[in-house]
Each structure stands twice: as structure tokens, then as C-alpha cells.
Amino acid sequence: MLSAMRSTRRQRQGEFPPAPQPLAVPVVDSHTHLDITVAEEGTPGGVAQLVALAAAAGVDRLVQVGVDVESSRWSAEIAAEQPAVVATVALHPNEAPRLDDLDEALRVIEGLAAGDRVRGIGETGMDTFRTGGEGRAAQEASFRAHIAIAKRHGKALVIHDRDAHSDILRILDDEGAPDTVVLHCFSGDADFAAECVRRGYVLSFAGTVTFANAVTLRDAARVTPIKQLLVETDAPYLTPMPYRGRPNASYLVPLTVRALAEATGADLDELCAAISATGDRVFGPW
């Protein structure tokens, strides 16, 4: 389970960071992996604890993201149990080349996509960092299939894009993008951000935007209208500063939101209200 994502476990050390000052205006964590967080970080109270900690920090809604068949099923189930959680389902782009029967896995994802608490198809996309040329065809075929599923079910498409900006745009142009597209953990520069904004896509920024060397990400955030901006943890990964390298969870979203407000010059409460409204537009109502 989740083999596509677990290779970064060794990079996280120590305990969960202390809770930051809560946000006055609640926001949504648009991308988290509660299953991986619980399994790998030993969260004693499980999902309920993570949801409660997030709510206390002003993060009152969470999007639980599937990355393979098993985690997608789990995501749909936990969203049915937790009112604060909705789900997305998909095969991660690094998972697709490893499957013996990609078509069968896609059929399962299609079935899950019909669920009321499933609000997005993702994370899907392209990743040329971990998957070499031998896996590129399967990755692209999977991405194209997920685009079609998102359009058939009227759900948001949640894109994983690692070192593949031009391929992402090319494939979206070929297939025709769904009405709602989210660039998860946006990793491009200001020019790529402007192109995505022009196409109406939503850019979701993770804790990476707080890193000292992330000047290009902050530049990208500055050219993104706040109505096309989301925030995420990608927990348990990408913990924002000053806790980079420790486990991440949704209650740490305020650190990223405050960094975005500082980078863009936006009023914090106005930014939070915009993120909240965009979360409801893309994934809601909860």
C-alpha cells in the first residue's frame, strides 16, 4: 500500500511540532494523507485526533487524498465517517507503471468516483523525477484516463506535477481539461503560474513555499489571484518552516497561510476567507 510515496519516510525525524497560533478565519487543508500520517507517525488518537487538532488551529475541513486502489477505498470510507473530511481517489503517477493490470485499477477508481463524499480525482498527473522513460507511457495513459473520469463524474482533477510542467499542459490541452483543475503542491515558477491562472486552474501551495530557498514559489504565489489559490499540507510530508524535516499534519496549515499572506501582501483574514470559499467551490460543500 502507498508504495509510490513511502520512499521519503526516512527524511522525517522527531515528534510533531507544537501547534501554531490558530487562524481567526478557518481554512481547508486541500491535500492531506491521513492514512499515511497515522500509519507512519504513530498518531495515538488516529484520524479523529488529527481532525480535532486541525479544527483547533482553524483548519476545519480536510481533503483526504488517495494514491492507489487501497488508499482510495480507505479515503472514501473515512470521508463517509468524518463530517470534516472529503475524499479524492486516484492512482498516483508513480504507481501506474508498477501495476500489472492498470485497466482494472482504473475501473475501481471509476467506481469509487461516483461516491457522494468523493469530491476529486487525484492525485494523478506526471512525475519525471521518480519514474524514468520506461514508465512514462503508462503514466501518461493513466493521467489521460483520470482526466476522462473527472469529466464524466463532474469532479475536480487534482494534479501531481513533478518536473513535468510542459507535459501536464500538453496532455490537458489534448484531452480537454475538466471544469475544475487543481495543481497540488504547486512547484512551478511565476511564468508557469501565470499560464495556469490564465487557464482558470487553481494553485495549491504547500509548506515548501515557506522554505528559505523557495523564492520562485513565492514569486508564483504573488501572480496568483487569491480566488485561484488553495493551501495544503501534503501531510505527513513537506512540513513548513521552522519545522522542516519533522512530521506534518493539517494543524500546521496556519504556518503556510501566514507565509503566503506575507509573500503576497494579502490581508491574512481576507486570504483565509478566499481560501475557504475556493475550497468549497472546488470540493464542497462538506
Side-chain angles (χ1 to χ4, degrees):
M1 177 182 175
L2 310 180
S3 58
M5 303 186 67
R6 284 188 162 164
S7 60
T8 58
R9 175 64 184 91
R10 64 185 179 275
Q11 299 174 12
R12 301 191 306 281
Q13 298 179 356
E15 299 178 347
F16 283 100
Q21 181 182 353
L23 297 169
V25 178
V27 300
V28 55
D29 180 355
S30 75
H31 194 111
T32 188
H33 302 282
L34 295 165
D35 47 345
I36 305 176
T37 306
V38 170
E40 294 194 353
E41 305 304 338
T43 312
V47 170
Q49 180 188 16
L50 292 171
V51 170
L53 286 170
V59 185
D60 62 350
R61 286 150 293 157
L62 283 66
V63 181
Q64 160 62 26
V65 175
V67 296
D68 58 16
V69 166
E70 186 176 352
S71 67
S72 292
R73 284 179 172 142
W74 186 92
S75 298
E77 291 168 1
I78 204 68
E81 297 172 5
Q82 292 283 342
V85 179
V86 296
T88 73
V89 297
L91 310 174
H92 191 283
N94 291 328
E95 185 72 12
R98 300 172 177 164
L99 294 172
D100 294 330
D101 193 340
L102 176 59
D103 289 340
E104 175 58 26
L106 287 167
R107 279 192 286 272
V108 175
I109 296 302
E110 175 105 43
L112 292 169
D116 177 64
R117 298 293 291 173
V118 173
R119 304 294 177 78
I121 307 303
E123 58 187 285
T124 181
M126 299 292 291
D127 187 323
T128 65
F129 180 79
R130 286 199 172 89
T131 295
E134 71 284 353
R136 206 68 49 77
Q139 213 176 66
E140 183 166 331
S142 178
F143 183 30
R144 289 179 185 273
H146 283 84
I147 293 170
I149 293 170
K151 291 196 288 188
R152 281 195 292 271
H153 292 273
K155 305 285 172 87
L157 182 72
V158 178
I159 292 178
H160 172 105
D161 164 23
R162 186 157 189 187
D163 296 349
H165 305 331
S166 60
D167 283 335
I168 292 292
L169 296 182
R170 171 181 59 83
I171 295 166
L172 286 171
D173 287 347
D174 285 350
E175 297 293 328
D179 290 339
T180 305
V181 173
V182 179
L183 274 296
H184 138 66
C185 189
F186 185 80
S187 59
D189 59 14
D191 289 341
F192 183 57
E195 181 61 30
C196 292
V197 165
R198 184 184 68 79
R199 294 163 180 253
Y201 302 162
V202 175
L203 280 54
S204 183
F205 289 88
T208 45
V209 77
T210 72
F211 296 173
N213 61 351
V215 176
T216 57
L217 279 183
R218 290 186 284 275
D219 289 342
R222 278 190 279 271
V223 303
T224 305
I226 61 172
K227 291 185 178 180
Q228 287 175 253
L229 188 149
L230 283 171
V231 67
E232 65 174 82
T233 54
D234 198 23
Y237 314 107
L238 307 181
T239 311
M241 294 295 290
Y243 304 110
R244 183 177 183 180
R246 291 170 66 174
N248 199 7
S250 297
Y251 74 92
L252 295 172
V253 160
L255 296 172
T256 302
V257 176
R258 290 189 170 97
L260 282 170
E262 182 177 354
T264 62
D267 175 82
L268 178 61
D269 289 351
E270 290 179 4
L271 177 60
C272 288
I275 290 170
S276 182
T278 300
D280 280 348
R281 174 171 60 85
V282 171
F283 298 111
W286 260 248

